[in-house]
Each structure stands twice: as structure tokens, then as C-alpha cells.
Amino acid sequence: MAQSAPTSPRPRRSWGPRIALALFCAVALVVIWVTNVLLTERFTEATRNRAEVRLTLYVGNLISELQRNSIVPQLLARDPELIGALSSSDYSRSTQRLLSFVDEIGAASLVLYDRDGRIVAATDRSRLGESHRGAPYFVEAMRANSTVFTIHRQVTGGYAFLYSRKIDANGTTLGVISVEVDLAKLERSWAGTSDAVLVTDSSGEIILSTEPRWRGLPEGEALERQSAPSAIERAFLATDWTALPIDAYLRGEAVMRREMRVPFQGWKMVTFTAYTSVRERVNGVLALEIMGFAVLLAFAFWISSRKSASRLLLVRRESDQLRRLNMRLQREIAQRQQVERNLESAEQTIAQSSKLAVLGEMSASVSHELNQPLAAMKTYLAGARLLLERRRSEEALSSFQRIDDLIDRMGAITRQLKSYARKGSQAFEPVDARAALSSALAMMEPQLKTRSVEINRNLPSDPAMILGDRLRFEQVIINLLRNAIDATKEVADPRIDITLAVEDAVVLTVHDNGPGIEDLDSLFEPFYTTKQPGDGVGLGLAISSGIVNDLGGRLTARNATAGGAVFEVQLPILEEGVAAAE
């Protein structure tokens, strides 16, 4: 019986490499997914923080521009030349007068109306003779006793923002002065970034926007427009990732929406920021991870296929392609890093421009306050020189110590120029009025000794705490002392009485035995002075009044019954000061 030949066993299929490959791919996918989620959250938070910082900066610039222009009508309404022109109907020099102010103020335009609403002087000479009798900004200004703010829709589709105030003289209304706030420059600065920015009024209507087509529309209707805004087109690029926290959609694009209330007549500012930078940074990291896993995978294939020349050649080709991909990715990463550095430099430039605007506002008061310590230093240096010539070195060292203290104080004064947002309750801190008064007296000591002025101080035993800025409060005290010293220049026995009391408020009184005050009504107006030319410019009391108002108090002056002038500063005590600041 024939037997069948034995069959050879089939070779076993090796599942080990396939299982290892499957595990490797699974681990790679998990790592890439986790990395994408974590980095997306981290970079999105950073983008959100930067967007909020820029939004806060934009709101601060807007409020600063409005506040800076709000005081201009009040000052111009008291200008003697403008009042005289309206009274005499001689406007030959009025336009030139307004042109001399507009560059310094930084306003868009200045316009002077007579009582009939006719433009009699303007920085834009082409508007002379126009009649605005029925315009809201003219009618409301004529009816009100204070400065009024009006938003006027222009024919071009934009808005004009006007501060107006009527001009009175001897109880008779002569006309109206209006100042147009230049908010267009803020729109231009916003358009230079990758954000889309809009500002709405209390009714929700867009009044400022980086996209002109949005003005005059509600936010929802503006976002439904089909035309692509220039700023949005740059900022909102498509993304295929779904891990981003989407706040809004614009033309099908996911964007981050940020909103902040503007503390002015119910305004609101909204910014839209794209996730482009987030995706670029996350994609760069993921590309590096993918490249790393690809290199590991290629190496594993090279080990497993080293017995086959053809497979080895294939792996080498793949390795060459990966190296070229690595170089290309490195170049892209370097380019993206350069773009990020350029963006950071642009943001620093914008912040520096805002600081320079604040420096311009502070320069007048700082230069006014530096003259006093410089004069004191000169006196101490002269005294120290005499002491050294007489070999009284220990007393000379005391003079040098005082000079060092004055240098520190000058440094403290100039440090105001380095503060960006010093104006406001955020920069206030508890201050003992007694310590501020002692520091101011130490500052004025050389002038007091030179003039032999008798100083009588009456201070409370307990701390007199206020909420404010100590340096600015000391500036007020020094200005009052300097005025008192000048007032007693012709008195045989000059005397200054200083009283600090704590009652319902902290009250500081400075009383001199000089001739008193002739014109109390014009005392606190800028550039009003009774001194000889070269002795002062009339800014001290105006600056001091503004500082006291910022601290929540008031500065008053009167003539004493027994003779001399009395200046009184009333400031809320610490608890009331906190409530006022809030």
C-alpha cells in the first residue's frame, strides 16, 4: 500500500514586529494628541492674556484722550482774547489764536461760534461763516452751564466727538467754543495690529471701528456683512483644529472675542483676536514631535531590514527626505520666531508712545518742581564750602547729607516721568500727612533760613492718614509755603502759621502775615500771577488745585481778618478716601 509523502510544516508568521509597530503608532498618536491639547490650552491662555492687555491699553488711551480734551473748553472759555473778540465782533486774530492752541492740545479742530451759531473763528478756515444754530452741540452748550459732550454723525459716515461750552462775560452769553476730539488717530493705531477693534455707545451703535463699514451699525449686523474687512482679513485665518475655545464666528472663522466697559457714557469696547499664532506655535511643536517619531520609526525599519539591500536603500531615501523636511521645518520655525519678535517690538513701540504722551502732560509740573531742590542744593554747597575752609568737617558732612537727601528727592520727582498710569486711585496709598508736611519743611529749610521766616507748627499727636500720593501732596505743601514766603518778602517780621487738624476731614492750613490776596476769583487760574517777570509763571496754585482735586479734596483761599492770606487744604480721611477712590 503506497504511503503519501510527509508534508513540510508551513513557516510560522511572526506577529512580534507588527504588534510592536502597532503599539508604537498608538503611543505616538496618544503623545501627539495630549501635546496638542496641553499646548493649545497654554498658548490660547497666553493669547487671551495678551488680548486683554491690549484691550486694557486701548481703553486707557481712549479715556486719556477724552479726559485731556474735556478741560480745554473750560480754559478757552476764560481766554481774554476770545472774550474780547466776541464782545467787539472783531475776529481778525481769533483764528490765529485758535491755531496757536490746536497743536499743543492735540485736538482735531477748534471752532468759535457767536451767539447766533455762526462760525467766526476756526482752525479750518474754510468753515468760516457756516451757521450751526440748530446743531445739537451748539444748542446744548447754550443751555448748559458746564461743558457738554456731543457725538455728531458726519456726512462721510464717521463720527465727530465734540466738547462744547458757552462763553459768558458779565452775565451775558457771547458765544460757544467747541473742541473736536481726535479719536481717528486711535483708530489708525488700532488698525496697525492684527486685532479688529470696535467701540459702541450706550445704545449699542458702533461709533469707532478699524473697519469703516461697521460704523453706525449694531455689532451683530456688522459681523454679518459679506465684505471682508481689511483688519479681519489679516487676523482671522482658517483652522482645522477643534480644540480652541471659540467665542465668535466671522465669515465662518473662529475668533476670540473680548469686551470691556469704557467708563464714559456707557461706552463699550470689543476686540476680536484670531488663533493664528496659537496654531502656528502648536503646529511647530507637533511637527517636531512627528519628526522625532518618524525618525524613530525609520530607524526601526532600518534595523529590521538591514539584511535586504533594497529595503536599506529605501530607508536611506526616506531618511534623506526626513532630513530635508527637518531643515525646511527649522527654517519655518526661525521665520515664525522672527515674526513673533517683530510683533513684540511693535507692541513695545505702542506702549512707549503712550508713555511719551503722559511725559508730555507731566513735563510742565516736573520742571516747575525741580527748581526748588536745585536752589536748596546751591545754598547747602555754599555753606559746606565755608565749613570746609574753616575746618569744620563734621558740620560740612551734615550739609552733604542734606544735599544727598535733595538728590534723592529730585530722583523721586523725576520718577513720575517713568510711571505710565500714575493718575488715578490705583496709584494711591495710605499717607501720614504729618510726615509729608515734615518732608516739605525740610525741603524748604534753606529758603526759610535765608529769609529768617518764623514757622509756627501745630500738629496732632495721632497720625493724620489720607489716601493719596505722598509726593504730589508734598508738592502742594511746597507750593503753598513758597507762595507764603514770597508774600512776606516785604514784611519786617515774616511769620507763617501751619496747622494740621483731623476732624471730619484732614485739614491743612497755611497762614502768612503778608499783604493778602487782591483777586480771589482768578487766583487758581493757569498763568495768573502777581509776581515780577522771571519770579514765576502762575502755574503753582493751578497745579496744586488740580492735585488736590485728584486726591478727592479741595483747595480754598481767603484773606484773614487780622491780615495776611490763608490757604486751606481739605482731604478725606483714609476710610472716606478709599470710598471716594472706588
Side-chain angles (χ1 to χ4, degrees):
M1 187 175 177
Q3 297 181 353
S4 60
T7 59
S8 59
R10 294 180 180 179
R12 295 183 177 180
R13 183 174 296 178
S14 177
W15 293 95
R18 298 186 179 183
I19 295 176
L21 178 60
L23 291 176
F24 180 85
C25 293
V27 170
L29 291 176
V30 171
V31 171
I32 292 174
W33 180 79
V34 172
T35 302
N36 174 60
V37 173
L38 295 179
L39 292 182
T40 298
E41 293 178 354
R42 177 181 177 184
F43 293 152
T44 300
E45 183 65 21
T47 301
R48 182 182 296 109
N49 293 337
R50 287 196 297 269
E52 292 177 352
V53 170
R54 285 196 294 269
L55 180 58
T56 303
L57 176 62
Y58 293 163
V59 172
N61 290 341
L62 179 59
I63 290 298
S64 176
E65 189 69 20
L66 290 170
Q67 289 179 347
R68 186 165 59 87
N69 285 269
S70 64
I71 195 65
V72 175
Q74 183 178 357
L75 297 177
L76 294 182
R78 301 176 182 177
D79 186 80
E81 290 192 20
L82 297 181
I83 294 174
L86 289 172
S87 300
S88 62
S89 299
D90 181 11
Y91 310 108
S92 58
R93 300 178 57 186
S94 300
T95 296
Q96 187 62 35
R97 181 67 172 173
L98 296 182
L99 289 172
S100 66
F101 289 126
V102 68
D103 292 335
E104 181 180 358
I105 295 172
S109 66
L110 298 176
V111 179
L112 180 65
Y113 307 88
D114 61 10
R115 69 181 66 185
D116 296 325
R118 185 174 60 90
I119 297 180
V120 296
T123 53
D124 184 3
R125 298 180 185 271
S126 62
R127 300 184 60 187
L128 294 177
E130 294 180 3
S131 178
H132 295 257
R133 185 180 184 86
Y137 43 85
F138 177 80
V139 175
E140 294 179 9
M142 291 291 288
R143 294 175 179 175
N145 293 324
S146 59
T147 303
V148 297
F149 179 79
T150 309
I151 301 177
H152 175 61
R153 184 70 181 268
Q154 296 177 331
V155 180
T156 59
Y159 289 86
F161 305 90
L162 303 172
Y163 280 106
S164 304
R165 188 182 182 94
K166 68 179 179 181
I167 300 178
D168 295 332
N170 299 323
T172 303
T173 300
L174 302 178
V176 172
I177 182 73
S178 70
V179 178
E180 181 180 353
V181 186
D182 187 10
L183 297 185
K185 62 183 178 183
L186 298 181
E187 285 185 316
R188 292 191 293 271
S189 67
W190 298 339
T193 67
S194 61
D195 288 348
V197 185
L198 60 89
V199 178
T200 62
D201 58 11
S202 58
S203 64
E205 182 177 345
I206 296 176
I207 56 177
L208 289 173
S209 174
T210 53
E211 171 51 40
R213 296 191 182 102
W214 287 1
R215 298 187 188 122
L217 300 175
E219 180 183 349
E221 183 178 345
L223 295 179
E224 293 175 357
R225 286 263 174 148
Q226 296 299 320
S227 57
S230 57
I232 301 299
E233 192 173 43
R234 293 196 306 269
F236 308 141
L237 301 178
T239 176
D240 296 327
W241 299 79
T242 60
L244 297 173
I246 300 171
D247 292 335
Y249 286 90
L250 185 67
R251 301 186 72 233
E253 308 290 349
V255 297
M256 179 188 302
R257 181 182 182 276
R258 280 293 172 266
E259 174 184 317
M260 179 174 290
R261 185 181 66 85
V262 180
F264 182 80
Q265 295 194 356
W267 288 10
K268 179 178 65 176
M269 180 176 289
V270 180
T271 63
F272 297 93
T273 304
Y275 291 101
T276 307
S277 60
V278 176
R279 284 270 49 90
E280 289 178 352
R281 297 169 67 183
V282 174
N283 290 345
V285 176
L286 294 181
L288 291 176
E289 285 190 352
I290 293 173
M291 182 187 63
F293 284 118
V295 171
L296 292 178
L297 185 61
F299 181 73
F301 276 113
W302 181 78
I303 293 296
S304 63
S305 61
R306 60 185 303 176
K307 296 181 180 180
S308 174
S310 59
R311 296 179 63 185
L312 179 60
L313 180 61
L314 179 61
V315 171
R316 288 179 178 176
R317 291 177 180 176
E318 293 178 350
S319 299
D320 292 339
Q321 293 177 358
L322 290 173
R323 281 193 292 271
R324 288 193 295 270
L325 176 61
N326 183 22
M327 295 177 61
R328 186 173 63 187
L329 289 175
Q330 289 179 353
R331 289 194 297 268
E332 292 180 359
I333 292 173
Q335 293 175 356
R336 291 166 183 167
Q337 290 176 347
Q338 181 63 35
V339 170
E340 292 176 0
R341 288 193 293 268
N342 294 339
L343 177 59
E344 181 179 359
S345 176
E347 292 177 352
Q348 292 176 356
T349 302
I350 294 175
Q352 184 65 20
S353 299
S354 177
K355 293 178 182 178
L356 290 177
V358 178
L359 294 180
E361 296 178 3
M362 296 175 59
S363 60
S365 64
V366 170
S367 62
H368 183 72
E369 300 302 330
L370 285 179
N371 290 332
Q372 189 64 36
L374 287 173
M377 288 173 60
K378 183 175 181 181
T379 303
Y380 281 130
L381 284 173
R385 180 184 300 171
L386 293 175
L387 291 172
L388 290 176
E389 292 175 354
R390 298 175 182 177
R391 302 184 181 276
R392 295 163 63 181
S393 57
E394 294 182 357
E395 297 181 16
L397 288 176
S398 176
S399 297
F400 288 137
Q401 180 61 41
R402 293 185 177 182
I403 293 174
D404 185 65
D405 294 339
L406 289 174
I407 293 174
D408 292 339
R409 178 168 186 83
M410 292 175 66
I413 292 175
T414 56
R415 276 194 295 273
Q416 290 185 89
L417 298 176
K418 301 177 183 179
S419 174
Y420 175 75
R422 190 66 184 269
K423 185 176 182 181
S425 59
Q426 292 83 354
F428 289 171
E429 60 184 4
V431 176
D432 189 352
R434 302 179 307 170
L437 177 58
S438 299
S439 179
L441 287 172
M443 180 91 173
M444 297 293 297
E445 183 178 356
Q447 285 72 19
L448 295 173
K449 288 183 176 180
T450 302
R451 292 287 315 284
S452 299
V453 179
E454 179 185 353
I455 299 295
N456 298 321
R457 289 184 290 181
N458 186 9
L459 306 181
S461 57
D462 297 328
M465 302 303 296
I466 62 173
L467 182 67
D469 187 326
R470 173 170 175 170
L471 182 58
R472 300 176 72 190
F473 183 47
E474 289 179 5
Q475 291 175 5
V476 173
I477 299 174
I478 291 174
N479 283 337
L480 296 181
L481 290 176
R482 185 159 47 198
N483 286 339
I485 293 174
D486 293 339
T488 58
K489 185 180 299 184
E490 305 297 334
V491 178
D493 297 321
R495 186 183 75 258
I496 300 176
D497 298 328
I498 303 174
T499 303
L500 182 64
V502 180
E503 299 172 354
D504 295 337
V506 176
V507 180
L508 173 65
T509 304
V510 179
H511 178 200
D512 62 67
N513 62 343
I517 304 171
E518 297 179 359
D519 188 358
L520 289 172
D521 295 333
S522 305
L523 186 61
F524 295 105
E525 294 187 4
F527 305 107
Y528 172 79
T529 179
T530 58
K531 301 177 182 178
Q532 297 297 324
D535 293 340
V537 295
L539 285 175
L541 290 178
I543 293 173
S544 299
S545 179
I547 293 174
V548 174
N549 289 336
D550 290 342
L551 298 181
R554 62 175 183 172
L555 173 61
T556 59
R558 66 179 186 274
N559 288 319
T561 305
V566 178
F567 287 87
E568 185 175 271
V569 178
Q570 295 184 7
L571 294 172
I573 58 178
L574 180 58
E575 294 78 4
E576 297 178 357
V578 173
E582 293 177 353

